Structures are given as C-alpha cells and as structure tokens.
Amino acid sequence: MATQATVAPVGVTSPQGGSRTIPAPANPPTAATANPAQLTPAQLKAKAKADKAARRAQVKETKAVVAAADAAKTTADAKGGKGKGKQDGPQSQSKTGPQHRGSTSGRRPSILVVEKDVRSGIPECFSHIPMAKRIPTAHAHKDVHPAVLVIGQQMATFAIKDSIARLEATLLAFRKVIESYETPKGNSLSRHFVPHVLNPQIEYLTECRPMCYSMGNAIRLLKAKVNDFDIDTPEEEAKEGLLETIDLFINERITLAEFVIARNAAKQINDGDVILTYGRHRLVEKTFLLARENGRVFDVSIIDDPYDRGGQELARSLQQVGIRVFYSPNLGGLRANVERATNVLLGTEAIFANGSLHAAAGTADIAVAATNASKKVIVLCETINFDRERVSVDALTYNEIDPEQNTSDSFRLLFDTTRDKYITGVITEFESGTGNSPAQAILALLRKQEDPTVIA
Amino acid sequence: MAPSQASYAPSLGKLLKSLNGQTLEASIESFIYLLKRRQIKGDDCADATAHLLRQVIAKSKWSDVDQLLTRVQNVGSRLAQAAPHEPIIGNIVRRVMGLIRDEASEDRNADDLGSETASDIQSLSMNAPRPQHPKPAPIASRPQTLTTMPSFHVSKAKSMFNLLSVVDTLDSPVTGASTPMSQAQPTSVSALRSEVLDGINEIMDEISQADDQIASFAEVQIQPGDFVLAYLPSRTVERFLVKASARRRFTVFIASLDPPQASSSTDPYAALRKKLNAGGVKMISIASNGLMAYMSRVNKVIFSAKAVYQNGGLLVDSGASVAAQAAHAYSKPVIALGGVFKFCPEDPSDEIAGETGDSSSYVSYADGSKVDALEVENTVADYVPPELVDVYLTNLGPQTRHHLASIMADHYKPEDVGFSLIPGEV
C-alpha cells in the first residue's frame, strides 16, 4: 500500500511536470469519492490479485522510469477514452495510470484502483466500515437498468439519503425493471428473473452505497414473491403480480405508515410542550406539522448537525406554520437544551433486533443526555426499518463512513447506535395511538405476525 | 502562545510589552478591552492578570497592607467583571491577595522579632515565650501581639514610614477579615513590595510551568496501544500528548463539534499532527457532532478545563461535556487537565456555562429567510458535572474530587474566597 502511494506518482509525474505535491490520500473533493462498499468474495480475490500484480509492476517500473511512464500514459489515455474523462485530469490519472498496468485483468479495473486511493485514508481501526462511492455509469455492469443506474448515482451522492426515500426509489426503479423485463425463450420468470436481472441491480446499488435495512427487507419480500410463482405461471401474470406487490408495499409500509405514525406521535404533543429533536427527520417534521394543524401550541428545540444542517430546513418549515423554534447548530448546548425540553422526539434509520437505534450520528448523545435528565425519549420508525437479524451494541459494528469527510485530516461516521435503555418508546404504524412501546415489543409483534416481509 | 505579530489587532503580547511604558490606568483599561473583546482568553488570562497585578503593586502608591489589598481587590474585580466568563482571573487575584496577606504577616512577625531583640531586656523580664524564628504562619501572630505590644510603639517611633502611615491606617477601608493586619505596621513598604513581587513572579512561573508539569504525568496516564480521545486539544493537552508520544505508541482522536471554518482551509492541528507523527503516534481528526459512535473504541477521554469549581465540576469549551457524557455512558475514564491555578473556590454558574456566542458561521446573514426563522443558540462554554470527571490531572499530580477542597484551602485564604465580582469601594 505504502509503496504504491509513494512510488506510483513518480512514474508519471515526470512527464506532467511534477505538478503533484499533495500526498495521495489528500484527494480533491471532486475526485470520484469511490471505495469498495461490499465486494463479493470473488471481487475481493480479483482485487487482491490485481494489487499484487500492480506491486510487481511497480518494482520493475522504478528501474525503468521513462519507459514505465510512457506505458502508463498510454494506458491512462486509453482509460480516459473509456469515459473516465470527467474525473479531474492529471491528478487522478497520475495516480491511477501506472496501477492500471497491473490490474487489467480485473473486471472493473479503474474503479478498483480509484477506490484504493480513497480508502487508504481510512484509519486502520475503522477499515472494516463500508463507504458509499461513485461509480462512473460507464463502469457499471451491463445489465444494470437505466432507472437503477440513476438512483445508484443519487444514493452515492446522498441526493437520496434517508432509508425510506432510498427504499421508495429502489422499489419504483425495480418497478421499471419488471415492466421492461422479458423472459428469454426457454426460461421461466420465477427461475430467471432474480439471478439474472434483479441481482445485478442489487449488486450495483450495494456498490454505490451499502444497502439500508429497509431495502434489504423489501428485496427479501420481492424475491420471496418471485419464488412463490409457479414455474408455469405466465409471464404477464407474474409481472402483474410483482407490480401489484410493489404498489401495495409502497402504499402500506411507506405512505400509510408515515401517516399513521405522524398521527400517533402528534397525539403525544401537548400544549406548552418544548420538544427537542435532532437534525431533520421526515417523520418528526410530519408530526410537528400535524400537531400544529390539530391546534397544539408548542415550541420546538432543534439541535442540528453542523455537517448536515438539515435542521435549518426543518426550522424554516416549522416557523412558517407558526411554531416557535430554538435552534442550536451543534451539540454544544445539549445540557441546557435537554433541561428546557419536556420530551425528545427522534427519527431513526433502522432499529436492530436488540432494540438499538441505528440513527444519524449524534442521536445517541441526545438520547443519553435526555435519559440522564429523566426526559422521555420517543423514537419514530416504520416497521420496515426494523432489522430482525442484526444485533448491534456499538456503533462500529454496522456503520458507514461519510465519503465527504474522509480526508487525511477528517474522518466521520454517518451513524451511531443508541442502546435501548436510553429509549422510552418507539412509535410505529402498529400502534393504535395508545402510546409508545419498547422496541422489543414491536420486534416480538413482528415475529409473531410472521410478517412476510421479514422472513428470517 | 506566540502572538501573531502580523495582525494589527491588539493582543496579549503587545499588551505585556506595553505594560512598562504605559501608566497603570492605561494598562488596566487596555487589558479590560482585550478581555471584553475576547482577544485574551483561556489560560492567557491568568498570565495577563498576574502581569497586571504585578504592575499594580509595583506602580501604585500604597503605604500599608490594607491599602494594597484594597487596591488589588478593586483592580481585580474590574478585571473579573470585564470577563465573568473567565473565573481564572478571580483565582489569580485571590492568589495575589493571599500572597500579600502572607507576606504582611510574615513581615510583621519578622518585625516583631526585630523589635524584640531591640528591647530584649524588657521581654526577658517578662519571660514570655517567644519564637526564635520569624514564623510565617499567620496563626502564630495572634498570641504574640499581646506579649509584644510594647515593642510596637518602639518600632513605630523608629520608623519614618510609620509616621505617615498612621494617618492612612485610620481612613483606609478596613475589612473585618484584615483587622488584625491593619494593626501590624510593616517596617518597610519597599521590602514588602519586593517580596510580593517575588511572590507574583512565582505565581507566573507556576502558570508557565503548569503545562510541562502536567505533561510529566502523561506516561503514567497513557498506555501503549491506547486510543485517546482529545476533545478540542488546548496547549496543555497538546503538550501532554506530545510528551506521551515520546515513550508510548498510541492513537489520538481529535474531536470538535464544528467543521473547521471554511476560511481556514488548513488543518488547525497540523503542527500537533506533525509532532505526534514524529513520535509514531497516529492522529485521527474526527469530524463529528456526536461522539458516542467512537466511544467503544476509545480508551480514555482527555480535555482541559477552563476552571475547576469547588464541587468538582468543570467549566469547559462547548462540547466537552458531550465527550464526557459519552465516555461515561461507555464507562471510559475522563481525564481533565488543568493547573492548580484553575481551581476556583466558587460554585458553578449556569450563566457562564450556558454562554452563547457568534452565530454567523452557522447561518449566513445573506440568507434572509433563515436569519428571520432561526433563533440560533451557539453555546460556547459548557459545564461538566463532577460525576463525569474521573481524574483531575494538575501540576501537583492527579487528584480526585474528594481532595479538591484541601487543595483549594492550601491555595486561597478564607478571607479571599468571597472575593466577589461586585466591585468594592472604588
């Protein structure tokens, strides 16, 4: 690794006038912020092989710098012609150039090389944590549907960010995939669709950004549905059935769930309350607006994440309907804020099987502070975000690295884990408005229902 | 420490340079302005206060201890009022006042002894038990005043200073606490002056050496392989880490609440990183609001206190309490660094801890709708409750909460503990 970082530029900088002064990890922000998200074992193997070859090549290279440089240049040019041109010129090329030489055997050599540079900045103790990356559309698998390509890009750039938005986008894109699907001759949809059509899409999406748990749940449902079809089911009927499943899913688990949760949560807000929340979460915002519509008069205290600043948008939309807002740009005033609040309303990305929250980094700090001050901590979450298979007690088990904050001098995890002891209750669409229950109760309910979406 | 000479803004360095050239009042005023504009803050306040009080003692006219004490107290409370967010100023004022009291009583004892030898026939005949050496302890002075009463008059008559001071003693504001002192007549103002100045120099030395002394405990606190979370490392913490890096291989997480300012594109801790890397210590800057996510990896949390209150609570930079709380939730030790001069014999104040600051870096003034919509509360100082702090690492070594009271008692006179922010009779 180290030799690559130091030797690689030498080979190529000479023809480019030695303009490169920054060390390798200090990637310019515009560079493709790519990294290996979740590589299949086969890919990893290929990558390892490629690395080894590259290293060998480097050793030779140092002996004949000029020759190597020329060779590298030609390779780089060749790659550039392949559609990698948008990646900012000499720097990335000078880095990637010589490494291409050794790694031509890989399936997507250029990506593997780029990701190497990006991930090299990650401290060793966090090296197990995946990170979203931008894959040039030209390098995606040929079977990836255009609709999926688009949302993959949007997810990698965090244009589609929270778990439900990602889930919805995925389902709608899969809808398009199903609509345009035609079973090849001699095949049946139930046997052919998943391995040859659906899996490449999922693989691509996972590569762009690690899947969120709601997506995992939904995909499992979809696959189960496909498997349910008899091998003789006519294609039209099967497609019709799948589309219907997706529509029903979006209606029930997303649209309706959001409505019910907001309605139930809004009932928990009383006149004169001061509700503390963190950042901007769709469900929390909905709840506030609904409570205001119901005539409740209350204040909202927003603690924002200075790396995200979604709280400012929330503040604005609340201000427009006449809710008084206190805005803290960071966790600095946490103690005072918690003391002022009557209860705390939090959104989350997912809830693990042990009742831990997987939520935006900073949520845990607020939940702990609120619990220490004996304030109610209420979490809003759709049941689709419950993961019944994973258990997490600390934030380093399942997490993601923020690709925007992954330079030599800054590192950031996107999520943290809040233990269930810091949570008073969870409001989901299962509740009939009687209040909130611990996450474990909902998990038990999910198990009992044997909900088809969460087949273990 | 090194003030940037390029800037035109007044700074501590310039103030200290100008101290000798300016009149005392001008120095005080310019210091107060620096405090109010927060151009002097944190540990520099202690140093600056000591320098200024040194000037007060050296330059102002005074002829007895009470006058001096009143003068110091007045200047001190002006400074403390200018910067109520810096309790450290009050600490230094208290230290200096305690110093003056000590020197005065020592002086008087010496004086007593001197006059006694002059009139030894008298005292011998009285057969009173008397000290062989001048006793510095003020407690010893009370019983002596009785036995040596006659010698007072002798010494008064001898001393020219006292001819003048008699008048002053009468109309100088006499606080109840210092009543016994006012009876004592220092033989020599200049001797007292130089002794007090020496004492202040010692305090200044203590302040300047505190960081190094604290750092000398680094090796004990940091073990090889540790993951240390340093929250907003101050000079003290930086020195501590660098010292530890000489002998230990560990990893440092640097955390702060806010992203680095867009204007300063450089890494604020580049120098520290360089030093640590030279010692083989990895440094990782954590750019995160919450710190819980990293806590399972961290072994200990280190930050420096702005002040340590008498209950063991800390006044800290905003966000350090988040770090302390996260460490507490994961049962990781929290080590607060701070010289003894930061120990403040007061109770924590919510007003100081909840201090809010500039919000312009969070909401652009160009964005009218947001400026209208948001009541931005950017807290700049924070309070860490005592139960979240495990070790107080001072220049006198690591301390626990239960030992703080005796340290306070060692360093401050009970008369000065009540030194208030309300200016006395100016």
Side-chain angles (χ1 to χ4, degrees), chain A residues 123 125 278 304 306-307 309 312 315-316 319 327 329-333 340 365 368-369 409-413, chain B residues 257-258 267 273 284-287 289-292 294 297 318 322 325 362 369-370 373-377 379 382:
Chain A
C125 51
Y278 182 63
D304 207 356
Y307 296 91
R309 302 202 179 180
Q312 292 188 357
R316 189 152 40 177
Q319 200 86 18
Y327 175 82
N330 55 36
L331 281 171
R340 180 171 56 195
D365 296 271
V368 172
D409 48 48
S410 79
F411 176 83
R412 177 170 183 255
L413 294 174
Chain B
L257 281 190
D258 293 317
D267 181 4
R273 180 187 298 275
I284 301 165
S285 292
I286 292 178
N289 201 13
L291 295 169
M292 287 290 255
Y294 311 88
R297 180 70 69 173
S318 159
V322 174
Q325 174 196 276
Y362 300 103
S369 61
K370 273 185 189 160
L374 298 176
E375 272 183 54
V376 180
E377 297 172 334
T379 316
D382 211 344

Side-chain angles (χ1 to χ4, degrees), chain A residues 123-126 128 278 303-307 309 311-313 315-316 319 324-335 337 340 361-362 364-366 368-369 372 393-396 399 405 408-413 415-417 421-422, chain B residues 227 251 253 256-260 267 273 282-294 296-297 318-319 321-323 325-326 328-330 350 353-354 361-363 367 369-370 372-379 381-385:
Chain A
E124 196 194 339
C125 51
F126 299 119
H128 63 292
Y278 182 63
I303 295 184
D304 207 356
D305 183 346
Y307 296 91
R309 302 202 179 180
Q312 292 188 357
E313 306 303 318
R316 189 152 40 177
Q319 200 86 18
R324 184 168 180 214
V325 176
F326 304 100
Y327 175 82
S328 290
N330 55 36
L331 281 171
L334 180 59
R335 209 173 46 92
N337 265 311
R340 180 171 56 195
D365 296 271
I366 291 183
V368 172
N372 289 344
V393 290
D394 67 28
L396 300 179
N399 214 322
Q405 295 288 340
S408 59
D409 48 48
S410 79
F411 176 83
R412 177 170 183 255
L413 294 174
F415 302 108
D416 64 12
T417 300
K421 62 181 168 185
Y422 300 117
Chain B
F227 287 86
T251 307
F253 295 130
S256 62
L257 281 190
D258 293 317
D267 181 4
R273 180 187 298 275
K282 276 191 218 99
M283 183 180 126
I284 301 165
S285 292
I286 292 178
S288 180
N289 201 13
L291 295 169
M292 287 290 255
Y294 311 88
S296 58
R297 180 70 69 173
S318 159
S321 70
V322 174
Q325 174 196 276
H328 193 69
Y330 278 87
D350 263 351
S361 59
Y362 300 103
V363 182
D367 192 342
S369 61
K370 273 185 189 160
D372 281 347
L374 298 176
E375 272 183 54
V376 180
E377 297 172 334
N378 172 29
T379 316
D382 211 344
Y383 171 69
V384 178

Side-chain angles (χ1 to χ4, degrees), chain A residues 333-356:
Chain A
L334 180 59
R335 209 173 46 92
N337 265 311
V338 166
E339 251 150 53
R340 180 171 56 195
T342 46
N343 49 17
V344 180
L345 211 57
L346 296 171
T348 181
E349 275 279 301
I351 295 183
F352 290 114
N354 59 343
S356 300

